[in-house]
Amino acid sequence: MSLLSFLLGEKKKTAAVAKERLQIILAHERSGRNAGKPDYLPALQRELVAVISKYVKINPDDLKVHFERQDDLEVLEVKIELPEGAK
């Protein structure tokens, strides 16, 4: 089926594209090019706000992205405050 999808140019779902982008960004950062805080966090936060806003009206200040390194562990934390009644 993937060959058929490729030939027909089937459009990928937004969530799948976002997941692929995030995996590429994380792989790039893990390569060790940036020893400190990753420089992609502001762009990632803007893109997340844009994608979520397609489905739920949110305030950009209600989305927080935090990156932390502890020894060999890297944690990317995303906190999103949704308005009451949002489904």
Side-chain angles (χ1 to χ4, degrees), residues 45 48-49 52 58-66 76-82:
Q45 187 165 350
L48 286 169
V49 168
I52 294 168
I58 63 167
N59 182 346
D61 295 331
D62 291 341
L63 188 139
K64 305 288 186 219
V65 178
H66 178 71
L76 178 66
E77 180 180 31
V78 179
K79 291 184 180 179
I80 305 166
E81 289 184 36
L82 296 174

Side-chain angles (χ1 to χ4, degrees), residues 2 6-7 21-22 29 31 34 43 46 48 56-58 61-62 67 70 76 81 83 86:
S2 63
F6 175 76
L7 293 175
R21 287 180 183 169
L22 184 57
E29 290 300 318
S31 69
N34 293 333
R46 286 190 302 273
L48 286 169
V56 178
K57 184 176 172 90
I58 63 167
D61 295 331
D62 291 341
F67 180 83
Q70 297 176 349
L76 178 66
E81 289 184 36

Side-chain angles (χ1 to χ4, degrees), residues 15-28:
V17 172
K19 180 180 176 182
E20 287 177 14
R21 287 180 183 169
L22 184 57
Q23 288 174 335
I24 290 169
I25 290 170
L26 291 175
H28 172 74

